[in-house]
Amino acid sequence: MTHLSRRSVLGSAAAVASTFAVVKARAADPIKFGASLSLTGRFSDSAKYVQEGYLLWAEQVNAKGGIKGRPVEVVIYDDESKPDTGRVLAERLLDRDNVLAILGPYSSPITDAMATALERAQVPMIGTIASDSSIWARRRLRWTFQGFPSSDFDHEGFLKVIKEKGQGSKKLAIIFEEAPFSIAAKDWALPVAKEMGLTVEAFGYNPGAQDFRSIIERMIASGTEMVSMGGYYQPSIALTRQMIERGFNPVAFHFIQAADGVTKEALGAQVEGVFGRSSWEATIDTPANKAFVAAYQAKYGRIPSYHSAAAFAAGQAFQGAIEEKGADRAGIREALASSKIETVLGTFHTNQRGQQDGYHYASTQWQGGTSYVVSGPSARAPLWPKPKWS
Amino acid sequence: MTFPLFLQLLTNGLVVGALLAIVALGVALIFGVVRVVNFAHGEFVTLGAFATYLVVTQLNISPLLGIPLAFVLGAAVGAGIQAAIVSRAAGRPELDVLMVTYALSIIGLGIFSSAFSGDFRSYSEGPSGIFTLGSVVIGLRSLTVLLVCLIVGVGTILVVQRTRIGLALRALAQSRDSAAACGINVPAAELFAFALAVGLAAAAGALVSLIGTIHPRVGHDLVLDAFVVVVLGGMGSIGGAVLAAIAIGIVNAFTSFALDDSWARILTYCLLYATLLLRPHGLLGRHVGA
Amino acid sequence: MSGILTVVDAHKRFGGIHAVRGVSLALNSGELLGLFGPNGAGKTTLFNMIAGLYPPTSGRIELASRDVTREPAFRRARAGIGRTFQVCRPFRGLTVAENVLAAIPPGSGVGDDRARAREILDAVGLLPKAEDAAGSLTLGMLKRLEVARALALEPKLLLLDEPLAGLTASETSDLLGFIQGLKARASIILVDHNVRQSLGVCDRAIVMDAGAVIASGSPDTIRRDPGVRRAYLGESAA
Amino acid sequence: MKVERGRDLAKITWGSLAILACTAAMAALPWLGVTSYVRTLVYYGAYFLALGQAWNLMSGLTGYVSFAHGALAGIGAYAVVLALNADLPMVISLLIAAIAAGLASLIIGVTSLRLKGTSFTFATLFLQELVLLLVRKLPFAGGPGGIVLEEIFPLWLPHVLMIAVAGGATLLVLVFRRSRTGLRVLAMRDDEAAASAIGIDATRVKIVLFCASAAIAGLTGAVHGVFASSLFPNEVFSIDLSIIALAVPLIGGAGTALGPVLGAVIYVGLREILQVLAPNLHLTIVGVVLLLVILFMRDGIAPALGRLFRLKDRRGQVPAIAEVRA
């Protein structure tokens, strides 16, 4: 359990590095990118991984001579996980730091808040960790693009596994948080599941909920066989623990955050057989991805999380756009809106609303203490049914 | 609804209610005796949760031992804060005292956020397994929480109702001037009440860490419910707060089952406003003069 | 002369209001001192300074030759100053017995303390009400309860703040008799805004007006004092 | 007495003129060629000031602490976006927002203002949570996904509006606290029983004040809704805004007209500086500043400065009633 000390040491190291990158601004007319990240507050932990990804990307680009011969610089501020601060920082990055484009913040509400300012100023942004595609559904954003697999497809991988492996299990429960991304994912999954011939029930819960016991009783009462939880990490863990405590053993259990390494710490041996979904895996066998993982490990001494990979990919997408259309905002926008750009997450491509449709989630499952990809070619066979809680 | 289901929901609600009761008991104690709405109470819950997390993961100590450790730590920190900060605002207008604990809450939240980041933590050490009684299933962790809450809660109520110190606290809650005139050491009694209440909060934090996840806002979220319960129980009434906590825990288990937890909360708040309007001294309270 | 209480040149200012202007007094053991004056004369302020609710702005207060000027109220109570309040402040939510018990210094054991509380309640005639909630008592009983609470401290000095206010005629004479009986247990200062009512039971009296002492001496001296008459005539004219 | 009134009148007049001049200057910023970063800072300063003054009008003057001003502003924001999306004109929409927040405040006011300050504080604390839960359940309010303003207005519009609201609220507090009713309210804060004795219907005064204060909060939230143009319930109804609403006047000087102005400047400045120097400690430091001000300056920085520079005025004043009671 070195989790804590390791994390905090690295956190401060990253903070130093970001200051350094600002100070080190080279004379040779750098291309400046700005980012507002939630280094404190609710999202601080994951935001630090994003920061690491941005910094690594800038370092790598500069080591190879920059983009079209110009070095890259990333200016990062802390938005304290607050959208209002994000708005001020957007202006600060544009005005004081003269950045060319914005690398996205951590959470969806802050992405949305900054997007409003950027629509006015006509500055491109990639929503790095913005899996929540409702930001683009609720209004037309011309300058902000989704740089992460869309949350609409959160349950997709699990449904595919059921289709292949279901073996007659019919009763599915989808649990969703009363938050836009989770509702959208549920709304996407319900008709698909019905078409598969499943009986589906959906249970909503209040954001911040700790107590899922009543939902569990309802699932037991209605004879639920399979559970797919579409909420955040913390409620997912709470739900899992309460299912274990109640002795409720579904045939298959999926929660969208399950592939995170910390899940194993939280659940111990009980994690066996739990399905998850993954936007990115360190094991993906492409030269670009291998190079990224190796570089990250060399710099930070551990396997990168998907946050860092997505951050790195956002940098790559900008790089591709600039290489294609030049270092001006309108050009970048055009490239992000129409081109296909290869990144460590896959092929960056957006639909007409700016939503990501190039990246996809893979389905994962914990087997023998490791989270493996269990969908697609060359994947491991899923474990079905899930072993009972021990 | 079948009878086994009824019993199961009742048990589930009891676990949630018992934990809430321990937190609310502290809030009510501080409000009754020290006349302070302790907005920082949640941060002390968080303190207990993180302290337990640290001793469990760093020192490999059982989380069960973490509960008394958290209590002692909380009592010490509470005594320090009461002596050094809160007592300074004694006798000042309500707004000032309120803001002192509120500022403490912000400071605590800030410290936890920067020291531990927003991470959700948890540990798998400690009791695990299931206990079955007839048709009712309860996890050993939840059972632990229930038992500890019972012991701690009854213990605290006995101290307050049956001992001379408890008598001093109850007297102080009724009239400050009279208590002083009776030779009751008012600052010391307030210190004791504050330390005891914060100790309870930290112990509750240790219990939260056992059945939930640990993060900087864990206590903050819980204490809002505790405030609801304290109002429903008649502000400052310890017994009222405990009863209201258990009642709310159970009622929420059933309303969450029948509707969902959002509606359960909405109904709770509606009940709260109705109580303020119709029975400002609590659901069970009589009018108790100043 | 065995002095129980000595107050030397006590002043109290609340911001711009000079509520007590240089009052000195001395009280001997076993003495019953009356403290009279119209409303706003500074009696209660003086009282509160002696009891320790707040310190004097300047001056000195000694209890049995010990300087208690800066000591908090609870410590003075333990040192032997028992008091009642002008407006009764019982612990309403507690039982009558618990009210008294709260003031008994924690001693040999809970059982003994309870027995002692019942003894005191018996002395003030409240024993039948021992297990009732204090909030349910009548005003006359509440006054007795406050006295009982003060007696529980085994005080050297009893401060009775307008104990007669609001009582019926028969309750008044009962209580006055009772107070006279208390002289055996402690020295007493009795505050009343009505001179005539209780002057008779006093050994000595002081009359205050506008924060200062305007007369002091035996009850007879007070009765004859022209200043006192004027102050009271003024009061009744107003 | 006459002289007193005269001096008061002069103070009010000069104060009002100063406020109007500042308001005009700040409102003109979009056309003076300052960077949009500075404009944004000024906007947020005005936003926090307007909220702070709304809070000040109720809590600063009566001593009844409200935690609902963030939620009231949120109600205003929702109302204005819904109204504008229904093609109502801007002025009407803003008015609807103010009225909506005022009505919401009545729920709290009627249930808890008869009671002691603590009940009121609790009632306001829970409003936040209740409104958030309800908004997430109401389809016309967009549910958990929130709502978006269909038309994006040019930035100068919310800028000018917000500064006007902030200036107007400051002016209102300045004039009101020196009015007859205002003085009575201040007397009530110090001793409610005494104030009732001189014939103030304390409950009614408090309800009316709270309603007015809520309307200003609603208006402030509405203007910010136009500025932000995209509302998420979890963000709009978060406790953070309520904290700002009370921190700004408390740091500067609650119950005074100019204290919150200083408070807003300090708050925005502190936030910007800490952003660079100690981003991790921002929340902690705001808490510490708040704590120190309450413990050692009692009524905020502005009055403390005032005492420092005008010691003479202080002497011979009638004491605060709280002191007499102590």
Side-chain angles (χ1 to χ4, degrees):
Chain A
M1 301 285 163
T2 52
H3 177 213
L4 168 84
S5 47
R6 189 183 68 203
R7 186 78 44 85
S8 53
V9 168
L10 281 168
S12 52
V16 171
S18 80
T19 333
F20 193 58
V22 177
V23 175
K24 210 173 58 178
R26 286 180 224 171
D29 192 20
I31 303 178
K32 280 177 142 190
F33 293 90
S36 146
L37 286 172
S38 308
L39 299 174
T40 54
R42 266 187 296 171
F43 311 121
S44 58
D45 181 53
S46 312
K48 276 177 193 130
Y49 298 146
V50 177
Q51 184 184 31
E52 288 170 5
Y54 288 157
L55 295 175
L56 181 67
W57 169 71
E59 201 180 285
Q60 297 259 298
V61 169
N62 290 339
K64 289 179 190 147
I67 304 175
K68 290 184 164 178
R70 290 171 65 187
V72 165
E73 194 186 311
V74 182
V75 184
I76 298 175
Y77 294 119
D78 174 20
D79 58 39
E80 309 159 326
S81 312
K82 291 179 188 167
D84 271 328
T85 314
R87 283 189 192 103
V88 179
L89 291 180
E91 300 293 346
R92 184 180 191 143
L93 288 165
L94 299 182
D95 254 26
R96 294 253 310 257
D97 300 308
N98 281 312
V99 301
L100 177 69
I102 303 286
L103 287 156
Y106 179 68
S107 78
S108 299
I110 302 176
T111 307
D112 184 78
M114 290 180 79
T116 307
L118 299 182
E119 287 300 304
R120 288 197 183 102
Q122 307 200 324
V123 176
M125 169 163 79
I126 293 178
T128 305
I129 303 287
S131 66
D132 184 349
S133 51
S134 71
I135 297 174
W136 290 269
R138 67 211 288 264
R139 63 172 161 167
R140 185 88 179 89
L141 292 176
R142 294 182 65 249
W143 291 86
T144 298
F145 299 90
Q146 191 172 25
F148 200 82
S150 162
S151 56
D152 289 1
F153 312 122
D154 276 345
H155 300 283
E156 186 188 22
F158 185 56
L159 288 177
K160 275 186 183 159
V161 174
I162 294 175
K163 201 172 203 172
E164 289 164 18
K165 282 280 183 176
Q167 297 170 343
S169 298
K170 288 286 172 218
K171 286 226 72 160
L172 171 70
I174 291 179
I175 303 174
F176 65 98
E177 178 157 329
E178 286 179 348
F181 80 96
S182 198
I183 292 174
K186 173 211 60 166
D187 289 344
W188 184 92
L190 281 180
V192 175
K194 277 178 189 149
E195 206 160 287
M196 285 165 58
L198 302 176
T199 322
V200 206
E201 267 186 301
F203 301 101
Y205 68 88
N206 187 20
Q210 293 266 351
D211 183 14
F212 295 89
R213 293 179 180 88
S214 292
I215 290 180
I216 293 171
E217 292 307 327
R218 284 176 71 172
M219 292 196 292
I220 293 173
S222 64
T224 297
E225 293 164 290
M226 299 165 293
V227 179
S228 186
M229 162 68 165
Y232 286 107
Y233 175 74
Q234 188 215 1
S236 301
I237 293 295
L239 169 73
T240 313
R241 289 187 155 186
Q242 288 162 18
M243 278 166 55
I244 297 170
E245 285 221 316
R246 180 61 177 86
F248 170 49
N249 272 294
V251 176
F253 175 43
H254 164 253
F255 68 90
I256 60 174
Q257 313 277 354
D260 277 9
V262 279
T263 305
K264 196 171 119 191
E265 271 178 53
L267 297 180
Q270 307 279 23
V271 81
E272 184 70 6
V274 173
F275 288 101
R277 58 131 182 76
S278 163
S279 53
W280 172 86
E281 285 291 319
T283 51
I284 294 172
D285 203 5
T286 63
N289 196 52
K290 275 183 169 169
F292 160 69
V293 174
Y296 184 94
Q297 264 188 303
K299 190 167 159 83
Y300 299 109
R302 63 197 143 88
I303 304 274
S305 77
Y306 71 86
H307 309 91
S308 308
F312 196 85
Q316 287 180 309
F318 271 133
Q319 187 178 356
I322 294 171
E323 277 164 359
E324 190 187 325
K325 299 271 184 177
D328 83 289
R329 288 168 174 169
I332 293 173
R333 195 199 86 79
E334 213 183 304
L336 292 179
S338 54
S339 304
K340 290 189 170 173
I341 305 168
E342 289 306 317
T343 73
V344 293
L345 284 194
T347 306
F348 180 99
H349 184 263
T350 56
N351 66 15
Q352 279 143 351
R353 294 198 74 92
Q355 293 162 317
Q356 183 58 236
D357 61 7
Y359 298 159
H360 282 283
Y361 289 112
S363 201
T364 63
Q365 189 182 32
W366 286 92
Q367 295 180 4
T370 312
S371 174
Y372 293 102
V373 173
V374 292
S375 64
S378 77
R380 280 171 92 98
L383 203 61
W384 188 288
K386 188 186 89 58
K388 285 188 186 295
W389 308 121
S390 49
Chain B
M1 182 178 287
T2 60
F3 189 62
L5 177 59
F6 173 82
L7 285 181
Q8 184 67 48
L9 288 174
L10 195 71
T11 314
N12 295 348
L14 211 54
V15 173
V16 177
L19 194 55
L20 187 57
I22 297 300
V23 180
L25 197 133
V27 174
L29 191 63
I30 293 178
F31 184 73
V33 174
V34 196
R35 310 280 159 93
V36 173
V37 176
N38 185 19
F39 277 106
H41 212 70
E43 276 54 52
F44 297 120
V45 175
T46 312
L47 176 76
F50 273 115
T52 311
Y53 173 79
L54 286 181
V55 296
V56 168
T57 56
Q58 306 290 313
L59 306 176
N60 281 319
I61 289 175
S62 155
L64 294 182
L65 220 63
I67 299 165
L69 279 177
F71 178 84
V72 171
L73 174 72
V77 171
I81 284 181
Q82 161 70 17
I85 299 169
V86 177
S87 63
R88 274 175 200 279
R92 303 257 299 268
E94 199 174 349
L95 183 141
D96 290 21
V97 190
L98 216 66
M99 283 308 117
V100 166
T101 63
Y102 198 70
L104 284 174
S105 159
I106 299 176
I107 294 170
L109 202 58
I111 290 175
F112 289 125
S113 302
S114 51
F116 293 98
S117 81
D119 257 2
F120 298 117
R121 291 150 203 275
S122 50
Y123 51 81
S124 45
E125 288 86 346
S128 68
I130 294 173
F131 181 76
T132 318
L133 188 77
S135 67
V136 175
V137 178
I138 183 167
L140 275 185
R141 286 185 172 222
S142 296
L143 189 65
T144 310
V145 169
L146 204 56
L147 289 178
V148 172
C149 287
L150 191 70
I151 295 167
V152 169
V154 169
T156 309
I157 289 177
L158 280 182
V159 166
V160 171
Q161 293 295 337
R162 291 272 182 272
T163 65
R164 282 304 299 266
I165 290 182
L167 180 62
L169 297 184
R170 283 184 292 141
L172 188 52
Q174 302 277 321
S175 165
R176 239 183 132 75
D177 290 342
S178 282
C182 286
I184 292 169
N185 187 338
V186 175
E190 287 183 344
L191 193 74
F192 178 82
F194 206 91
L196 175 63
V198 171
L200 288 177
L207 294 174
V208 168
S209 79
L210 197 60
I211 54 167
T213 45
I214 306 148
H215 55 101
R217 300 184 67 91
V218 65
H220 209 78
D221 295 345
L222 186 60
V223 88
L224 203 66
D225 291 342
F227 285 157
V228 172
V229 159
V230 168
V231 174
L232 290 178
M235 281 184 234
S237 157
I238 292 173
V242 169
L243 285 180
I246 292 169
I248 286 294
I250 292 172
V251 168
N252 275 0
F254 282 93
T255 40
S256 302
F257 182 87
L259 301 163
D260 64 32
D261 61 342
S262 294
W263 283 114
R265 293 180 73 86
I266 290 173
L267 291 177
T268 307
Y269 287 119
C270 291
L271 179 67
L272 179 103
Y273 281 108
T275 306
L276 280 175
L277 184 64
L278 303 172
R279 298 191 63 91
H281 299 286
L283 281 178
L284 309 166
R286 324 157 243 132
H287 180 93
V288 177
Chain C
M1 191 163 92
S2 56
I4 285 291
L5 175 77
T6 315
V7 176
V8 183
D9 194 27
H11 287 262
K12 185 67 189 177
R13 290 169 189 275
F14 295 110
I17 298 166
H18 202 163
V20 170
R21 306 162 182 249
V23 171
S24 297
L25 63 85
L27 188 68
N28 298 323
S29 77
E31 203 175 16
L32 199 168
L33 177 74
L35 180 55
F36 301 103
N39 287 327
K43 304 179 307 272
T44 296
T45 305
L46 177 62
F47 231 59
N48 285 342
M49 282 195 288
I50 296 172
L53 225 57
Y54 33 71
T57 310
S58 68
R60 191 156 43 85
I61 297 166
E62 283 175 15
L63 182 70
S65 310
R66 171 174 152 205
D67 188 347
V68 295
T69 314
R70 299 284 145 194
E71 284 191 5
F74 77 88
R75 202 153 281 150
R76 293 192 205 189
R78 289 188 181 174
I81 298 181
R83 74 166 296 179
T84 68
F85 291 91
Q86 186 178 346
V87 178
C88 283
R89 294 182 198 180
F91 306 123
R92 285 178 192 279
L94 272 52
T95 66
V96 170
E98 281 178 328
N99 263 271
V100 178
L101 191 61
I104 293 178
S108 39
V110 175
D112 291 353
D113 292 346
R114 287 194 180 274
R116 173 103 185 87
R118 297 181 72 81
E119 236 173 75
I120 296 167
L121 282 176
D122 198 18
V124 301
L126 279 176
L127 193 54
K129 299 272 176 191
E131 298 310 318
D132 292 9
S136 68
L137 298 186
T138 63
L139 184 60
M141 291 180 188
L142 283 179
K143 300 253 175 194
R144 281 166 183 269
L145 177 59
E146 288 216 333
V147 173
R149 224 166 48 181
L151 286 176
L153 291 163
E154 293 177 14
K156 300 185 183 81
L157 170 65
L158 258 183
L159 304 174
L160 306 178
D161 196 355
E162 306 215 9
L164 305 175
L167 297 188
T168 63
S170 73
E171 279 176 332
T172 301
S173 64
D174 273 3
L175 194 62
L176 276 177
F178 176 67
I179 289 170
Q180 249 181 326
L182 290 176
K183 284 205 312 191
R185 308 173 82 140
S187 310
I188 298 170
I189 300 181
L190 170 70
V191 167
D192 204 337
H193 66 273
N194 184 342
V195 179
R196 258 150 276 168
Q197 193 166 235
S198 47
L199 194 58
V201 301
C202 299
D203 299 320
R204 211 146 54 81
I206 286 177
V207 181
M208 287 179 73
D209 192 23
V213 174
I214 55 168
S216 74
S218 68
D220 279 346
T221 324
I222 299 293
R223 271 189 205 103
R224 284 194 296 269
D225 189 283
V228 173
R229 305 190 100 147
R230 210 175 310 123
Y232 275 89
L233 283 174
E235 190 202 9
S236 55
Chain D
M1 211 52 195
K2 264 240 165 78
V3 181
E4 281 288 326
R5 291 304 298 176
R7 231 172 55 191
D8 259 22
L9 202 64
K11 264 186 178 170
I12 294 175
T13 316
W14 284 116
S16 310
L17 286 176
I19 291 168
L20 286 175
C22 280
T23 309
M26 290 298 157
L29 278 184
W31 294 274
L32 294 179
V34 298
T35 62
S36 69
Y37 171 58
V38 172
R39 257 168 23 212
T40 310
L41 282 190
V42 170
Y43 171 83
Y44 272 96
Y47 176 36
F48 297 158
L49 173 59
L51 263 184
Q53 290 291 22
W55 184 90
N56 199 20
L57 187 63
M58 172 65 193
S59 301
L61 294 182
T62 65
Y64 276 57
V65 183
S66 159
F67 283 102
H69 276 70
L72 293 168
I75 290 171
Y78 258 78
V80 88
V81 170
L82 290 174
L84 286 171
N85 283 353
D87 286 331
L88 291 173
M90 178 63 84
V91 178
I92 305 283
S93 302
L94 290 175
L95 204 64
I96 288 175
I99 292 171
L103 286 178
S105 76
L106 277 181
I107 300 174
I108 302 175
V110 171
T111 47
S112 64
L113 273 173
R114 301 167 293 126
L115 307 172
K116 284 197 179 158
T118 318
S119 303
F120 173 74
T121 300
F122 277 130
T124 58
L125 188 67
F126 301 131
L127 179 79
Q128 171 95 32
E129 193 68 15
L130 178 60
V131 175
L132 175 59
L133 286 163
L134 283 174
V135 162
R136 279 203 295 245
K137 283 288 180 195
L138 297 177
F140 74 87
I147 46 173
V148 182
L149 186 54
E150 277 150 21
E151 188 183 353
I152 291 191
F153 291 89
L155 259 188
W156 63 261
L157 182 69
H159 181 95
V160 171
L161 285 174
M162 189 59 88
I163 282 165
V165 173
T170 306
L171 204 60
L172 180 66
V173 173
L174 181 84
V175 174
F176 179 74
R177 79 181 288 280
R178 287 174 188 277
S179 72
R180 259 182 98 83
T181 322
L183 289 173
R184 287 174 161 202
V185 169
L186 281 172
M188 198 171 76
R189 174 179 73 177
D190 292 332
D191 190 340
E192 193 162 314
S196 311
I198 56 170
I200 297 180
D201 181 350
T203 306
R204 214 190 72 195
V205 169
K206 281 180 291 184
I207 290 178
V208 170
L209 257 191
F210 187 43
C211 224
S213 156
I216 296 172
L219 197 59
T220 308
V223 176
H224 192 60
V226 172
F227 176 86
S229 85
S230 162
L231 309 179
F232 288 99
N234 294 14
E235 305 302 333
V236 171
F237 298 103
S238 102
I239 189 80
D240 295 337
L241 208 53
S242 296
I243 299 180
I244 293 171
L246 61 88
V248 160
L250 276 174
I251 289 175
T256 67
L258 297 180
V261 180
L262 188 66
V265 171
I266 291 174
Y267 187 85
V268 170
L270 200 65
R271 205 169 77 148
E272 284 304 294
I273 293 166
L274 291 175
Q275 199 71 253
V276 181
L277 292 186
N280 272 317
L281 292 174
H282 165 259
L283 202 58
T284 315
I285 290 173
V286 169
V288 170
V289 169
L290 196 57
L291 186 64
L292 291 179
V293 167
I294 296 161
L295 283 184
F296 300 109
M297 289 184 208
R298 294 199 130 187
D299 39 8
I301 291 177
L305 287 179
R307 277 198 298 276
L308 203 64
F309 291 118
R310 287 181 308 177
L311 284 169
K312 270 185 204 155
D313 266 18
R314 180 77 179 152
R315 263 180 233 142
Q317 266 182 6
V318 178
I321 293 178
E323 239 174 297
V324 177
R325 270 189 319 192

